[in-house]
Amino acid sequence: MSRRPALAAICCFLLAYSTALAADDRKAIDLQLFRGGEGDEFFYLAESEFEKVRPDVRVELSLDPRIADRVRVRVLERNFFEVSNAPINYWPLIKNGDVLAMDEWLDAPSWDQPGKTWRETFLPGALDPYTHEGKSYGIPLGYFVSVIWYNKKMFREQGWEKPRTWDELYALCERIRKDTGGRVSPLAFQGRYADYTFPLVDSAHYQLAGSEAWFAQRWQLEPGSFNNPNYVQALAYAQKLATNYFQPGFLGMSHTESQLQFFTGATAMIPCGSWLKSEMQGKIPESFELGCFQLPSVPNPVGSPDAVFATSNFYFVMSRSNHPRIGVEFLRFMTSLRMAGEFSRLTDIATAIRGASKGKLSSDMDELLAILERSEASYGVLSPLYPESKQMLIDGMQPVLSGAKTPAEIAAALEINAAAVKGQTDHPEIVIVNHRWKPAVLLSVLGLAAIYAAWSTAQTIRGRWSAKPQAAHGGLQRMRSGNILLFVAPAALVYTMFVIVPSLRAFVWSVHEWNGLTHMAQMPYRGLLNFRRLLLESDGFWIALKNNLFLMVVIPAFVIPFSLFLAACISRGIGGAKLFRVVFFFPNLIGGVAAALLWMHLYTPQGGLVNSMLAPPLEWLAPGVIASGQWLQGHFGGWHIGAALLDVGMWMGDIAHIPWLSPGSLYWALIPMSIWGACGFNIVLYLAAMENVPESLYESATIDGATPWRQFWAITVPLIWEVLAISIVFMVIGGMKAFDLIWLLTNQQPTTSTHVISTRMVQTMFWEYKVGEATAIAVLLFFMVFLGTAATLRVMRRERVEM
């Protein structure tokens, strides 16, 4: 009885709420916004303030870090919202007429700056990234300028001056090393994100070649725009800085790790965008004084040295939403001088609105504001007409950082790859054959696996049909077909709806071309074009498959023998066996993401546990190894063993800063991770089988004089063979389907050299917006996993050994 008043109150509240909603006849605009480093406070403020200005409008605000997934679904359903800044490819929607051109309002008076049009309130070049064929579609708010940040207090105490040119920057780096005795590195850098190299290269290229040449390269991938003296020189500037003055181990550092190195005083400078302080909020020492200076200039520049490399978060209005004009009005209000100033005050981030950030940012941003005030133009990473160019450019920046190729070689490779990207997009029906024997081998192996699996399965079925039916064990009756159907049908129905049907749909998509955003009716049939492009033309697919084979072969070659050895030791009664069971299985209690994050910290080049443990003994041995190499070279000329010893000695001397998670080391770094993470499960699996082996067999073998090693191979392995086969199949499937570990360890930005098939599929789907090609990858992956598993099980099958 006491619950009735509470239930009545709840019912009254719900009734009143529903009545209020029904009575609310205001026009609703739907905002689907990305929740990122700017936080939420400004957007809720803009929502409430706009409703005060327009009492007839209700703003329905959705903030979500994964808003892109929701937006894609709604676009496909043609259930359009008014405004979004979700990170998706808007160009297909622009071409399809789904995004509203903003020129009518941009050329009209601004919201709160008399005498100016809305267009004139934006900083120079801020609207360019989404201006196409004379029309502007995207509206910027936050303005992220790439600069070089420096430790102002350290500079003041040491008497260092801010550099203006590349030569002055090199000289400053040399002085930093000299004045600090090598204790402070000149620059920290986010080496695991190769795209942080773009501002260094692009600023030099913009100044050397001019704005038109820069836009022709990055926007249109024009022939000759990469392989030319200006771009080679721009690459040379950045490469000299990276290979000589970046902090040791930077190739294995994430953005937060390198930024912490800067704020803890281990480096004097760091190249980064103006989001640096906002991103590191709460991790910056209170006494730290932050300053910045413009990216260095080149001698006799063609493009203005005062132009800034800047990006922004662009907002778009959907033309087919319910109230697109009100959506535009909201953007005009949100980018007004007053509201943009509130954005800067709340986030400590500059805006793309002229004068809006002045007096609103912290003192750490004073020099950034000065750079913006004197800027005459801007350029930056565009949302390109060729989305595939993003991976191409990231791959091109990797040797700039590592020094693995000369600038001329990098420029030549980028020119070739740019021509391939442009050709694939402009002429999608043409496939250039780059691989012949690899597809032949793969298809032959899959065909043989299919034939063998089908033949062996047929043999098994025939054997069962020819065998005499046996009575149910223990007098139990067999279940009737109707009862079997009753139990199986619900699960089969659910599995069919959510697995089988989508899988069949993927097979259909794989023979079509689609960007995943326009209506599904606009899916031209391409036949086997996607498969031909993957197998015959794509270098990335074969590199990814090679990495999968590494995970399928090399990792099990370490994990399975080690697991067998430990399981055998524990099963034979080694001291502390119960404790070892728990210890070895413990990593399996940790989620995959948590385990990856743990190993990322262990592999940190500066202060990570792995390097810290390896460094003392190896650095102690290094002088002796180097001396041996020098002695061999001195007595035997250029003998290769002496040179090899020198290389090994130098590597051992620099072990404290090895970038384990850099592209060149990543897959070898997976071996200890896999041993740590996979051995526990396999040990438990093998132990369960070993404990069923009768002890009398081992006693008899001991009496007959068999050694423990002989007993292991003659008794243990044959009797646990079925379990061993299952574990091998698990490892093979895991290696082929690997995704999360590679995706996390590369910070969701793998280079082509580190992709596996699954990450390549995700990148093709969500970076390049090629749904047909991505599903073709999924189909190939399905056949490889299915046929590989079936063939492995058949090959591993042995006649059952009775105990």
Side-chain angles (χ1 to χ4, degrees):
M1 295 295 292
S2 60
R3 296 179 182 177
R4 290 184 178 179
L7 291 173
I10 293 173
C11 291
C12 291
F13 172 78
L14 293 175
L15 180 62
Y17 182 71
S18 60
T19 303
L21 288 179
D24 190 351
D25 57 354
R26 294 181 296 171
K27 297 176 182 178
I29 60 170
D30 186 0
L31 275 59
Q32 298 289 320
L33 303 185
F34 174 73
R35 172 181 284 154
E38 302 102 331
D40 300 349
E41 188 175 359
F42 168 76
F43 298 105
Y44 287 119
L45 175 65
E47 174 190 19
S48 62
E49 291 296 310
F50 184 72
E51 288 180 344
K52 293 177 183 177
V53 174
R54 286 291 304 268
D56 60 323
V57 173
R58 183 178 75 253
V59 178
E60 297 177 351
L61 176 62
S62 296
L63 285 163
D64 191 339
R66 299 183 60 86
I67 197 70
D69 297 333
R70 188 188 306 175
V71 165
R72 287 191 193 96
V73 173
R74 292 192 55 176
V75 167
L76 288 175
E77 293 174 343
R78 316 305 287 172
N79 178 21
F80 286 109
F81 36 85
E82 271 71 28
V83 178
S84 181
N85 66 340
I88 63 172
N89 183 16
Y90 287 94
W91 289 113
L93 300 178
I94 290 172
K95 293 176 181 178
N96 202 46
D98 295 328
V99 177
L100 189 66
M102 310 296 289
D103 301 272
E104 174 187 344
W105 296 272
L106 284 169
D107 295 325
S110 66
W111 184 274
D112 60 356
Q113 296 189 55
K116 287 186 177 181
T117 63
W118 190 23
R119 189 186 302 275
E120 291 171 341
T121 64
F122 292 98
L123 291 169
L127 295 169
D128 290 347
Y130 280 99
T131 297
H132 185 53
E133 296 180 350
K135 294 183 178 180
S136 298
Y137 296 91
I139 300 300
L141 179 59
Y143 208 54
F144 306 106
V145 182
S146 291
V147 293
I148 297 181
W149 298 91
Y150 70 96
N151 187 327
K152 192 179 289 188
K153 182 178 179 181
M154 185 185 293
F155 267 58
R156 184 173 61 248
E157 291 174 350
Q158 296 290 340
W160 300 331
E161 297 292 333
K162 293 186 295 182
R164 291 170 297 176
T165 66
W166 282 97
D167 289 337
E168 289 178 2
L169 179 59
Y170 299 146
L172 172 62
C173 292
E174 292 288 351
R175 186 177 174 187
I176 289 171
R177 280 183 175 167
K178 180 181 178 182
D179 292 351
T180 62
R183 290 177 288 102
V184 175
S185 296
L187 293 125
F189 195 77
Q190 309 85 337
R192 284 164 61 194
Y193 284 111
D195 57 354
Y196 274 85
T197 318
F198 292 162
L200 298 173
V201 174
D202 286 13
S203 65
H205 182 224
Y206 182 92
Q207 295 173 37
L208 288 165
S211 61
E212 291 185 6
W214 186 88
F215 277 92
Q217 182 203 77
R218 296 299 296 273
W219 185 252
Q220 298 169 345
L221 301 181
E222 278 194 2
S225 60
F226 288 94
N227 196 11
N228 61 73
N230 287 327
Y231 194 65
V232 170
Q233 181 59 56
L235 293 170
Y237 279 130
Q239 190 175 68
K240 180 178 179 180
L241 191 70
T243 54
N244 291 282
Y245 303 115
F246 284 175
Q247 187 181 28
F250 75 92
L251 284 171
M253 288 190 185
S254 67
H255 59 300
T256 52
E257 290 169 347
S258 61
Q259 288 162 196
L260 279 174
Q261 290 292 307
F262 169 64
F263 284 116
T264 55
T267 71
M269 300 175 286
I270 183 171
C272 191
S274 54
W275 60 79
L276 175 67
K277 184 176 179 181
S278 176
E279 187 172 60
M280 297 300 289
Q281 204 66 254
K283 301 176 183 178
I284 305 175
E286 292 184 5
S287 60
F288 195 93
E289 298 180 39
L290 189 62
C292 69
F293 55 86
Q294 178 68 294
L295 296 170
S297 63
V298 304
N300 306 314
V302 176
S304 172
D306 290 328
V308 295
F309 185 98
T311 58
S312 184
N313 49 349
F314 283 84
Y315 297 79
F316 300 86
V317 176
M318 299 295 110
S319 61
R320 294 184 171 91
S321 58
N322 292 329
H323 306 290
R325 302 185 75 87
I326 300 178
V328 175
E329 189 173 356
F330 177 83
L331 288 185
R332 291 181 66 241
F333 172 76
M334 190 175 70
T335 57
S336 65
L337 187 66
R338 179 175 75 89
M339 292 306 298
E342 288 297 304
F343 176 86
S344 291
R345 182 182 66 82
L346 293 170
T347 63
D348 210 15
I349 296 174
T351 72
I353 314 303
R354 292 176 184 267
S357 302
K358 192 171 184 178
K360 302 294 185 179
L361 299 174
S362 64
S363 59
D364 289 331
M365 300 293 171
D366 289 345
E367 290 173 311
L368 179 70
L369 279 178
I371 291 172
L372 285 176
E373 287 175 359
R374 65 172 180 265
S375 67
E376 301 173 358
S378 68
Y379 57 99
V381 179
L382 306 176
S383 175
L385 290 172
Y386 300 93
E388 303 91 332
S389 64
K390 180 178 180 180
Q391 181 71 70
M392 176 199 78
L393 290 166
I394 288 174
D395 293 340
M397 293 304 105
Q398 199 61 47
V400 173
L401 298 176
S402 65
K405 296 180 181 178
T406 65
E409 292 171 338
I410 298 168
L414 282 171
E415 185 72 33
I416 294 171
N417 293 333
V421 168
K422 188 176 178 66
Q424 287 180 15
T425 304
D426 295 345
H427 306 285
E429 72 285 353
I430 299 175
V431 175
I432 299 173
V433 179
N434 296 323
H435 305 278
R436 294 183 185 277
W437 67 268
K438 291 179 182 177
V441 171
L442 176 62
L443 294 177
S444 298
V445 169
L446 291 178
L448 291 173
I451 293 171
Y452 175 72
W455 175 80
S456 58
T457 302
Q459 291 293 104
T460 302
I461 294 173
R462 183 183 301 173
R464 289 180 179 174
W465 280 352
S466 61
K468 294 181 179 180
Q470 298 179 357
H473 180 70
L476 299 177
Q477 294 184 354
R478 294 185 179 276
M479 186 178 290
R480 295 180 179 179
S481 301
N483 292 334
I484 294 175
L485 185 63
L486 179 64
F487 282 100
V488 173
L493 180 62
V494 172
Y495 188 79
T496 300
M497 290 177 58
F498 293 100
V499 177
I500 302 298
V501 172
S503 298
L504 294 176
R505 182 67 63 86
F507 278 81
V508 174
W509 288 349
S510 68
V511 294
H512 289 79
E513 181 184 351
W514 186 37
N515 55 40
L517 293 171
T518 54
H519 197 272
M520 294 178 67
Q522 303 174 10
M523 290 174 59
Y525 176 75
R526 296 299 186 189
L528 297 178
L529 177 67
N530 293 319
F531 295 96
R532 290 169 54 211
R533 190 177 300 285
L534 286 171
L535 296 174
L536 301 176
E537 183 175 6
S538 174
D539 294 330
F541 174 80
W542 292 106
I543 293 172
L545 181 57
K546 181 191 71 174
N547 291 332
N548 279 106
L549 290 174
F550 180 95
L551 298 176
M552 290 169 57
V553 177
V554 177
I555 299 297
F558 284 90
V559 171
I560 291 175
F562 194 58
S563 301
L564 272 173
F565 171 75
L566 293 175
C569 291
I570 294 173
S571 70
R572 302 307 294 161
I574 191 174
K578 292 183 179 180
L579 176 62
F580 289 140
R581 288 173 186 253
V582 176
V583 170
F584 289 133
F585 191 75
F586 177 74
N588 293 273
L589 302 178
I590 303 175
V593 174
L597 294 174
L598 172 64
W599 277 93
M600 285 169 62
H601 287 292
L602 294 178
Y603 277 139
T604 300
Q606 295 286 344
L609 182 62
V610 173
N611 283 348
S612 298
M613 291 179 62
L614 291 175
L618 291 180
E619 288 178 346
W620 180 76
L621 291 172
V625 176
I626 293 173
S628 300
Q630 292 172 340
W631 184 87
L632 285 171
Q633 282 196 325
H635 287 76
F636 298 97
W639 200 25
H640 61 276
I641 293 181
L645 283 174
L646 278 175
D647 291 340
V648 171
M650 297 297 292
W651 176 82
M652 291 167 63
D654 197 38
I655 188 69
H657 308 302
I658 285 185
W660 295 102
L661 299 182
S662 65
S665 306
L666 176 65
Y667 279 87
W668 295 106
L670 293 178
I671 293 175
M673 294 178 62
S674 301
I675 292 174
W676 176 83
C679 277
F681 174 77
N682 285 289
I683 288 171
V684 171
L685 204 63
Y686 300 152
L687 277 174
M690 290 177 182
E691 288 179 352
N692 290 325
V693 178
E695 188 64 28
S696 59
L697 295 178
Y698 293 108
E699 293 173 356
S700 299
T702 302
I703 293 172
D704 291 339
T707 62
W709 179 254
R710 178 63 179 164
Q711 294 176 28
F712 175 77
W713 286 107
I715 299 174
T716 305
V717 171
L719 292 178
I720 69 166
W721 184 259
E722 290 184 356
V723 174
L724 183 61
I726 291 171
S727 73
I728 292 174
V729 170
F730 283 165
M731 295 291 289
V732 169
I733 294 174
M736 185 54 71
K737 294 172 60 179
F739 171 77
D740 52 351
L741 195 60
I742 303 300
W743 194 247
L744 289 169
L745 294 179
T746 56
N747 283 322
Q748 304 176 41
Q749 197 179 87
T751 60
T752 296
S753 64
T754 57
H755 269 299
V756 289
I757 290 179
S758 296
T759 60
R760 177 73 184 170
M761 178 178 63
V762 170
Q763 180 221 42
T764 304
M765 175 79 78
F766 297 113
W767 282 18
E768 301 174 4
Y769 304 97
K770 296 180 178 179
V771 177
E773 188 172 319
T775 50
I777 295 174
V779 169
L780 289 172
L781 180 60
F782 166 77
F783 281 116
M784 286 187 283
V785 173
F786 179 77
L787 295 175
T789 302
T792 303
L793 282 172
R794 296 298 175 183
V795 169
M796 295 288 293
R797 174 176 291 180
R798 288 186 178 182
E799 186 176 344
R800 184 178 180 87
V801 178
E802 298 293 340
M803 293 181 285

